[in-house]
Amino acid sequence: MACALALPLAAHAQSDAREQQLEQRVAQLEQQLNELKAMIQAQKTAPAPAPAAAQNVAAAPAATPVFSSAPGVSVALHGFVSASAFSQNKSFTYGNGQNALFPVPGSTGSLSGVDVRNTRFWLDFKGAKFAGDWIGGGRIEMDFFGGFNGVGAYSQQQPTPRLRQAYMDLTNPESGTTVRIGQQWDLMFPIDNSPTSLAHIAFPLGYGTGLIGWRFPGVVVMQDLNHGSTGAQWRLDVGVFEGNWSGPGNNVNYLTAGSAGFRPQIEARLHVQDKNWLAYFAAHYSRVDLSGVGGTAPTPIQSSVKSTGYEIGGQWKPGPWTFKGLAYTGNGLGEIFGAMSQFGDIKETGGLVQAGYSFTPNWSLYAFYAYSKPNADDVITWMGNGSTGLLRNRQTALSLQYTAGSYDLSAEWMHDKLDSTSNGVNRKTTSGNQVSLNALYHF
């Protein structure tokens, strides 16, 4: 009888012991999981290692550059560090080095330097909730072309940050609709078809000479036309942007002809893209009141300018080749970097082509040509007193590029040939060359 009672009691005691062991094991696993979560969070929020320590952790996988700014909102830091060592035989318009566009007419004297102003960083925001099926996001983007810190002996080594883009997105993934609000590229700028270059990024090859467009505050609605289907994807973009013009009045306080009467720039773009090609057509319209805000500025030529533009472009990547090209025509396009930044009722045509070939996964070669020809009579009419009229420009470039991981290296040669006049009668041709060695690190 005693043995019969002892057996169940022993079994029950062994069961209790096993349950206690399981509970202890579960507690240990939960503790280890919490410690692992803490380690992952610490890696995400830890600052980047100092350069001296980077060599010791080169073999360790890099943490994803994402952190949270609000519940459900992720923020990613991206950008690149850029450096160009260059040599030129002319001074160039808009600056030398990485923002050289075309030679200053009649300039002389060679120069050289090292330029890091292409260096850029941006923050991408994702995951914000709006209403219904709509979600939000945005971008803040900056580089260092805001000028130099003063005019002293050391200002050249202290470039000033510059806001490039600052916009918010409202997206409906069910309907394929995105509304973008804030400062962004206008629809004439070929954001996904710009020329490849390591020296000229913020001021691309051909900018103002075959490539036009600028950043403005505005609203753009992007609508997928065959959302959810397979094959080529069609999208229609429609945008309204802040007006712009070079005077009259105060260009840094919204008192210019571009702001008079609240007449915005209106643009549209039809875009189609498949696996290895894309194509688009864009149109631009605005009307500028040259009498300015208040209507008091003298208008000796005409009281207003109608700005119109049409652009067609595309890109094709067959095998190791890459082909890019665009052509445009228009009138009064100085406000979006047309006519080599000459403002007036000036007709023009322009375009560019670039061909690239990848010899290996690392090595590639790019050849580039751009052309711009404003109407000479229009340019001379709108020259003004003492200004130089830019009549035609041709730009060519060759670039040999090496890519490995997050690094890009290149040697680039740019040649530019500019026709100009100082009085409407004479003609002068100025040729300029720039040779550069370039390095880029993406993060």
Side-chain angles (χ1 to χ4, degrees):
M1 183 69 177
C3 291
L5 291 173
L7 288 172
L9 291 174
H12 181 71
Q14 290 177 357
S15 177
D16 290 342
R18 283 196 299 269
E19 288 179 0
Q20 291 178 357
Q21 291 176 355
L22 288 173
E23 290 176 355
Q24 292 175 355
R25 183 55 179 162
V26 169
Q28 290 175 354
L29 290 174
E30 288 179 347
Q31 182 179 357
Q32 292 174 0
L33 179 60
N34 291 332
E35 291 175 353
L36 182 59
K37 289 180 178 179
M39 291 174 61
I40 294 173
Q41 185 64 28
Q43 289 179 352
K44 288 183 177 180
T45 58
Q55 297 178 357
N56 297 328
V57 297
T64 304
V66 176
F67 57 93
S68 179
S69 65
V73 178
S74 64
V75 184
L77 172 65
H78 297 290
F80 52 81
V81 178
S82 169
S84 298
F86 67 92
S87 178
Q88 300 173 194
N89 68 343
K90 293 288 191 303
S91 294
F92 276 68
T93 297
Y94 277 96
N96 300 304
Q98 293 178 338
N99 65 336
L101 295 184
F102 40 84
V104 175
S107 64
T108 60
S110 61
L111 59 107
S112 63
V114 177
D115 198 345
V116 298
R117 290 173 294 166
N118 271 329
T119 296
R120 183 184 307 178
F121 63 93
W122 61 89
L123 295 170
D124 282 328
F125 300 82
K126 295 181 180 179
K129 300 297 182 183
F130 182 53
D133 294 328
W134 292 83
I135 57 176
R139 170 174 289 191
I140 299 174
E141 180 183 73
M142 302 186 73
D143 64 11
F144 291 87
F145 280 100
F148 294 104
N149 183 12
V151 296
Y154 307 104
S155 63
Q156 184 173 296
Q157 291 76 41
Q158 300 183 78
T160 304
R162 174 184 70 162
L163 178 68
R164 291 175 53 84
Q165 298 190 89
Y167 60 76
M168 63 192 82
D169 282 342
L170 299 175
T171 301
N172 187 326
E174 297 298 321
S175 63
T177 307
T178 296
V179 179
R180 180 163 292 171
I181 306 169
Q183 181 156 303
Q184 57 194 289
W185 287 105
D186 81 306
L187 303 182
M188 295 288 281
F189 185 86
I191 187 65
D192 50 5
N193 193 38
S194 58
T196 300
S197 172
L198 297 186
H200 301 278
I201 303 174
F203 291 78
L205 289 173
Y207 205 15
T209 305
L211 189 156
I212 58 177
W214 187 240
R215 301 179 300 274
F216 300 98
V219 178
V220 173
V221 178
M222 295 169 273
Q223 177 61 56
D224 294 341
L225 299 181
N226 56 342
H227 184 65
S229 65
T230 59
Q233 298 297 304
W234 292 79
R235 191 185 76 239
L236 177 63
D237 306 332
V238 178
V240 178
F241 302 93
E242 179 184 57
N244 187 51
W245 202 253
S246 180
N250 186 339
N251 280 66
V252 296
N253 195 30
Y254 303 98
L255 297 177
T256 77
S259 302
F262 188 66
R263 293 189 176 103
Q265 303 176 72
I266 302 171
E267 295 183 350
R269 179 175 58 199
L270 181 63
H271 180 279
V272 58
Q273 183 170 350
D274 210 343
K275 295 179 180 179
N276 66 341
W277 62 271
L278 63 87
Y280 59 90
F281 172 77
H284 159 92
Y285 172 83
S286 75
R287 180 173 288 276
V288 180
D289 182 355
L290 296 183
S291 61
V293 176
T296 59
T299 56
I301 300 177
Q302 60 193 61
S303 61
S304 66
V305 169
K306 184 170 69 173
S307 173
T308 59
Y310 307 95
E311 179 177 298
I312 186 169
Q315 182 180 148
W316 182 38
K317 293 184 176 182
W321 291 92
T322 298
F323 298 101
K324 300 179 180 181
L326 66 86
Y328 75 91
T329 185
N331 184 80
L333 295 176
E335 64 181 346
I336 57 171
F337 239 92
M340 289 176 278
S341 297
Q342 297 176 108
F343 288 79
D345 195 0
I346 301 172
K347 299 179 180 64
E348 65 173 301
T349 57
L352 63 85
V353 291
Q354 186 178 52
Y357 183 78
S358 297
F359 300 98
T360 71
N362 303 103
W363 288 97
S364 54
L365 180 68
Y366 297 91
F368 173 84
Y369 178 78
Y371 179 86
S372 176
K373 190 180 186 308
N375 182 277
D377 293 337
D378 292 344
V379 170
I380 292 169
T381 299
W382 289 87
M383 278 172 55
N385 297 324
S387 63
T388 298
L390 309 180
L391 305 178
R392 184 174 59 156
N393 196 45
R394 293 82 80 198
Q395 186 179 96
T396 56
L398 285 174
S399 175
L400 179 64
Q401 185 169 320
Y402 177 81
T403 299
S406 298
Y407 292 87
D408 297 301
L409 306 173
S410 79
E412 183 173 300
W413 166 68
M414 182 181 74
H415 173 74
D416 202 283
K417 191 174 183 180
L418 175 68
D419 296 342
S420 63
T421 179
S422 60
N423 58 12
V425 178
N426 69 339
R427 298 290 188 272
K428 172 178 286 196
T429 299
T430 306
S431 295
N433 294 278
Q434 182 190 78
V435 178
S436 60
L437 298 175
N438 311 282
L440 198 74
Y441 168 68
H442 304 264
F443 61 88

Short mmCIF file of all heavy atoms in Angstrom, two decimals, residues 54-95:
data_model
loop_
_atom_site.label_atom_id
_atom_site.label_comp_id
_atom_site.label_asym_id
_atom_site.label_seq_id
_atom_site.Cartn_x
_atom_site.Cartn_y
_atom_site.Cartn_z
N ALA A 54 38.36 52.86 -38.33
CA ALA A 54 37.62 52.21 -39.41
C ALA A 54 38.39 51.01 -39.95
O ALA A 54 37.78 50.02 -40.36
CB ALA A 54 37.35 53.20 -40.54
N GLN A 55 39.72 51.07 -39.96
CA GLN A 55 40.50 49.96 -40.50
C GLN A 55 40.32 48.70 -39.66
O GLN A 55 40.36 47.59 -40.18
CB GLN A 55 41.98 50.35 -40.54
CG GLN A 55 42.25 51.53 -41.47
CD GLN A 55 43.71 51.93 -41.45
OE1 GLN A 55 44.50 51.37 -40.69
NE2 GLN A 55 44.06 52.90 -42.26
N ASN A 56 40.08 48.85 -38.37
CA ASN A 56 39.96 47.70 -37.49
C ASN A 56 38.60 47.01 -37.62
O ASN A 56 38.46 45.86 -37.23
CB ASN A 56 40.16 48.13 -36.03
CG ASN A 56 41.56 48.67 -35.80
OD1 ASN A 56 42.51 48.22 -36.45
ND2 ASN A 56 41.69 49.62 -34.90
N VAL A 57 37.59 47.73 -38.15
CA VAL A 57 36.25 47.14 -38.24
C VAL A 57 35.82 47.02 -39.69
O VAL A 57 34.65 46.90 -39.98
CB VAL A 57 35.23 48.00 -37.45
CG1 VAL A 57 35.57 48.02 -35.99
CG2 VAL A 57 35.17 49.42 -38.01
N ALA A 58 36.77 47.05 -40.61
CA ALA A 58 36.42 47.01 -42.03
C ALA A 58 35.70 45.73 -42.39
O ALA A 58 34.84 45.71 -43.27
CB ALA A 58 37.68 47.17 -42.89
N ALA A 59 36.02 44.62 -41.72
CA ALA A 59 35.41 43.35 -42.07
C ALA A 59 34.01 43.19 -41.48
O ALA A 59 33.27 42.32 -41.88
CB ALA A 59 36.29 42.20 -41.57
N ALA A 60 33.63 44.06 -40.52
CA ALA A 60 32.32 43.94 -39.90
C ALA A 60 31.26 44.52 -40.80
O ALA A 60 31.47 45.52 -41.47
CB ALA A 60 32.32 44.69 -38.55
N PRO A 61 30.06 43.91 -40.88
CA PRO A 61 28.99 44.44 -41.72
C PRO A 61 28.51 45.79 -41.21
O PRO A 61 28.38 45.99 -40.00
CB PRO A 61 27.89 43.38 -41.63
CG PRO A 61 28.16 42.67 -40.34
CD PRO A 61 29.64 42.69 -40.16
N ALA A 62 28.26 46.72 -42.13
CA ALA A 62 27.81 48.05 -41.74
C ALA A 62 26.35 48.01 -41.31
O ALA A 62 25.53 47.31 -41.90
CB ALA A 62 27.98 49.02 -42.91
N ALA A 63 26.01 48.77 -40.28
CA ALA A 63 24.64 48.84 -39.81
C ALA A 63 23.81 49.67 -40.79
O ALA A 63 24.29 50.63 -41.38
CB ALA A 63 24.59 49.47 -38.42
N THR A 64 22.55 49.29 -40.99
CA THR A 64 21.67 50.03 -41.88
C THR A 64 21.46 51.44 -41.33
O THR A 64 21.11 51.61 -40.17
CB THR A 64 20.31 49.32 -41.99
OG1 THR A 64 20.53 47.99 -42.42
CG2 THR A 64 19.41 50.04 -42.97
N PRO A 65 21.68 52.48 -42.17
CA PRO A 65 21.60 53.86 -41.67
C PRO A 65 20.16 54.33 -41.52
O PRO A 65 19.69 55.21 -42.22
CB PRO A 65 22.34 54.65 -42.76
CG PRO A 65 22.10 53.88 -44.00
CD PRO A 65 22.06 52.44 -43.59
N VAL A 66 19.41 53.67 -40.62
CA VAL A 66 18.02 54.00 -40.42
C VAL A 66 17.78 54.22 -38.94
O VAL A 66 18.26 53.45 -38.10
CB VAL A 66 17.10 52.88 -40.95
CG1 VAL A 66 15.64 53.19 -40.64
CG2 VAL A 66 17.29 52.70 -42.45
N PHE A 67 17.04 55.27 -38.62
CA PHE A 67 16.62 55.48 -37.24
C PHE A 67 15.20 56.01 -37.27
O PHE A 67 14.64 56.28 -38.34
CB PHE A 67 17.56 56.43 -36.50
CG PHE A 67 17.71 57.78 -37.15
CD1 PHE A 67 16.92 58.86 -36.78
CD2 PHE A 67 18.66 57.98 -38.14
CE1 PHE A 67 17.06 60.08 -37.38
CE2 PHE A 67 18.82 59.21 -38.75
CZ PHE A 67 18.01 60.28 -38.37
N SER A 68 14.60 56.14 -36.12
CA SER A 68 13.20 56.55 -36.05
C SER A 68 13.10 57.94 -35.45
O SER A 68 13.80 58.26 -34.49
CB SER A 68 12.40 55.55 -35.21
OG SER A 68 11.05 55.95 -35.11
N SER A 69 12.23 58.78 -36.03
CA SER A 69 12.02 60.12 -35.49
C SER A 69 10.68 60.25 -34.79
O SER A 69 10.43 61.20 -34.07
CB SER A 69 12.08 61.16 -36.62
OG SER A 69 11.02 60.96 -37.53
N ALA A 70 9.77 59.31 -35.04
CA ALA A 70 8.44 59.30 -34.44
C ALA A 70 7.91 57.87 -34.56
O ALA A 70 8.42 57.08 -35.35
CB ALA A 70 7.51 60.28 -35.15
N PRO A 71 6.90 57.51 -33.77
CA PRO A 71 6.38 56.15 -33.86
C PRO A 71 5.96 55.79 -35.28
O PRO A 71 5.15 56.47 -35.91
CB PRO A 71 5.16 56.19 -32.93
CG PRO A 71 5.47 57.27 -31.95
CD PRO A 71 6.24 58.29 -32.72
N GLY A 72 6.59 54.71 -35.83
CA GLY A 72 6.27 54.25 -37.16
C GLY A 72 6.98 54.95 -38.29
O GLY A 72 6.84 54.56 -39.45
N VAL A 73 7.75 56.00 -38.01
CA VAL A 73 8.44 56.77 -39.04
C VAL A 73 9.92 56.43 -39.02
O VAL A 73 10.58 56.55 -37.99
CB VAL A 73 8.26 58.28 -38.83
CG1 VAL A 73 9.03 59.07 -39.89
CG2 VAL A 73 6.78 58.64 -38.87
N SER A 74 10.45 55.98 -40.17
CA SER A 74 11.87 55.69 -40.28
C SER A 74 12.57 56.80 -41.03
O SER A 74 12.01 57.40 -41.94
CB SER A 74 12.09 54.35 -41.00
OG SER A 74 11.63 54.43 -42.34
N VAL A 75 13.81 57.06 -40.65
CA VAL A 75 14.62 58.10 -41.28
C VAL A 75 15.93 57.47 -41.72
O VAL A 75 16.60 56.80 -40.95
CB VAL A 75 14.90 59.26 -40.30
CG1 VAL A 75 15.66 60.37 -41.01
CG2 VAL A 75 13.60 59.80 -39.71
N ALA A 76 16.28 57.65 -43.00
CA ALA A 76 17.51 57.10 -43.55
C ALA A 76 18.43 58.23 -43.98
O ALA A 76 18.00 59.16 -44.68
CB ALA A 76 17.21 56.18 -44.73
N LEU A 77 19.67 58.16 -43.57
CA LEU A 77 20.68 59.13 -43.97
C LEU A 77 21.48 58.56 -45.13
O LEU A 77 22.04 57.47 -45.04
CB LEU A 77 21.61 59.44 -42.79
CG LEU A 77 22.84 60.30 -43.12
CD1 LEU A 77 22.42 61.70 -43.55
CD2 LEU A 77 23.79 60.37 -41.92
N HIS A 78 21.53 59.29 -46.24
CA HIS A 78 22.28 58.89 -47.42
C HIS A 78 23.06 60.08 -47.96
O HIS A 78 22.85 61.22 -47.55
CB HIS A 78 21.34 58.35 -48.51
CG HIS A 78 20.60 57.12 -48.13
ND1 HIS A 78 21.20 55.91 -47.97
CD2 HIS A 78 19.28 56.94 -47.85
CE1 HIS A 78 20.30 55.00 -47.63
NE2 HIS A 78 19.12 55.60 -47.54
N GLY A 79 23.95 59.80 -48.90
CA GLY A 79 24.69 60.88 -49.54
C GLY A 79 25.96 60.36 -50.16
O GLY A 79 26.13 59.16 -50.39
N PHE A 80 26.87 61.29 -50.45
CA PHE A 80 28.18 60.92 -50.98
C PHE A 80 29.19 62.01 -50.66
O PHE A 80 28.84 63.18 -50.48
CB PHE A 80 28.13 60.64 -52.49
CG PHE A 80 27.49 61.74 -53.31
CD1 PHE A 80 28.21 62.87 -53.67
CD2 PHE A 80 26.18 61.62 -53.74
CE1 PHE A 80 27.63 63.86 -54.44
CE2 PHE A 80 25.59 62.61 -54.51
CZ PHE A 80 26.32 63.74 -54.86
N VAL A 81 30.44 61.59 -50.58
CA VAL A 81 31.57 62.51 -50.42
C VAL A 81 32.27 62.58 -51.76
O VAL A 81 32.59 61.54 -52.36
CB VAL A 81 32.53 62.02 -49.33
CG1 VAL A 81 33.73 62.96 -49.22
CG2 VAL A 81 31.81 61.91 -47.99
N SER A 82 32.49 63.80 -52.26
CA SER A 82 33.05 64.00 -53.59
C SER A 82 34.29 64.87 -53.50
O SER A 82 34.33 65.84 -52.73
CB SER A 82 32.01 64.68 -54.49
OG SER A 82 32.58 65.13 -55.70
N ALA A 83 35.30 64.55 -54.30
CA ALA A 83 36.52 65.36 -54.39
C ALA A 83 37.02 65.34 -55.82
O ALA A 83 37.07 64.29 -56.46
CB ALA A 83 37.60 64.84 -53.44
N SER A 84 37.38 66.53 -56.34
CA SER A 84 37.90 66.67 -57.70
C SER A 84 39.15 67.54 -57.69
O SER A 84 39.12 68.66 -57.19
CB SER A 84 36.86 67.32 -58.62
OG SER A 84 35.70 66.54 -58.72
N ALA A 85 40.23 67.00 -58.21
CA ALA A 85 41.44 67.80 -58.47
C ALA A 85 41.40 68.19 -59.94
O ALA A 85 41.33 67.32 -60.81
CB ALA A 85 42.69 66.99 -58.16
N PHE A 86 41.41 69.50 -60.24
CA PHE A 86 41.16 69.96 -61.59
C PHE A 86 42.22 70.97 -62.05
O PHE A 86 42.89 71.61 -61.23
CB PHE A 86 39.77 70.59 -61.70
CG PHE A 86 39.64 71.87 -60.91
CD1 PHE A 86 39.90 73.11 -61.51
CD2 PHE A 86 39.26 71.87 -59.58
CE1 PHE A 86 39.78 74.29 -60.80
CE2 PHE A 86 39.14 73.05 -58.85
CZ PHE A 86 39.40 74.26 -59.46
N SER A 87 42.31 71.09 -63.37
CA SER A 87 43.15 72.10 -63.99
C SER A 87 42.39 72.66 -65.19
O SER A 87 41.81 71.89 -65.97
CB SER A 87 44.49 71.51 -64.44
OG SER A 87 45.29 72.48 -65.08
N GLN A 88 42.38 74.00 -65.36
CA GLN A 88 41.65 74.67 -66.43
C GLN A 88 42.55 75.68 -67.13
O GLN A 88 43.46 76.24 -66.50
CB GLN A 88 40.43 75.43 -65.87
CG GLN A 88 39.43 74.57 -65.16
CD GLN A 88 38.33 75.39 -64.48
OE1 GLN A 88 37.60 74.88 -63.65
NE2 GLN A 88 38.23 76.69 -64.81
N ASN A 89 42.24 75.93 -68.40
CA ASN A 89 42.98 76.97 -69.13
C ASN A 89 42.16 78.23 -69.35
O ASN A 89 42.58 79.15 -70.03
CB ASN A 89 43.49 76.44 -70.48
CG ASN A 89 42.36 76.16 -71.45
OD1 ASN A 89 41.19 76.05 -71.07
ND2 ASN A 89 42.71 76.03 -72.73
N LYS A 90 40.92 78.27 -68.78
CA LYS A 90 40.06 79.45 -68.81
C LYS A 90 39.27 79.51 -67.51
O LYS A 90 39.07 78.49 -66.84
CB LYS A 90 39.07 79.38 -69.99
CG LYS A 90 39.69 79.47 -71.37
CD LYS A 90 40.18 80.86 -71.68
CE LYS A 90 40.55 81.02 -73.15
NZ LYS A 90 41.56 80.07 -73.63
N SER A 91 38.76 80.68 -67.18
CA SER A 91 37.77 80.79 -66.12
C SER A 91 36.41 80.45 -66.69
O SER A 91 36.12 80.76 -67.86
CB SER A 91 37.76 82.22 -65.55
OG SER A 91 38.97 82.50 -64.88
N PHE A 92 35.58 79.82 -65.89
CA PHE A 92 34.29 79.35 -66.37
C PHE A 92 33.14 80.08 -65.66
O PHE A 92 33.28 80.51 -64.50
CB PHE A 92 34.15 77.84 -66.15
CG PHE A 92 34.77 77.01 -67.23
CD1 PHE A 92 36.14 76.97 -67.41
CD2 PHE A 92 33.99 76.25 -68.08
CE1 PHE A 92 36.72 76.21 -68.40
CE2 PHE A 92 34.54 75.48 -69.07
CZ PHE A 92 35.91 75.46 -69.25
N THR A 93 32.01 80.19 -66.36
CA THR A 93 30.81 80.80 -65.81
C THR A 93 30.21 79.92 -64.72
O THR A 93 30.24 78.69 -64.82
CB THR A 93 29.78 81.03 -66.92
OG1 THR A 93 30.33 81.96 -67.86
CG2 THR A 93 28.48 81.59 -66.37
N TYR A 94 29.67 80.54 -63.72
CA TYR A 94 29.10 79.98 -62.50
C TYR A 94 30.17 79.45 -61.55
O TYR A 94 29.85 79.03 -60.45
CB TYR A 94 28.05 78.90 -62.80
CG TYR A 94 26.70 79.50 -63.09
CD1 TYR A 94 26.28 79.71 -64.40
CD2 TYR A 94 25.85 79.89 -62.07
CE1 TYR A 94 25.07 80.29 -64.68
CE2 TYR A 94 24.64 80.48 -62.33
CZ TYR A 94 24.24 80.68 -63.64
OH TYR A 94 23.05 81.28 -63.91
N GLY A 95 31.41 79.49 -61.93
CA GLY A 95 32.48 79.08 -61.03
C GLY A 95 33.43 78.11 -61.70
O GLY A 95 33.16 77.59 -62.79
#
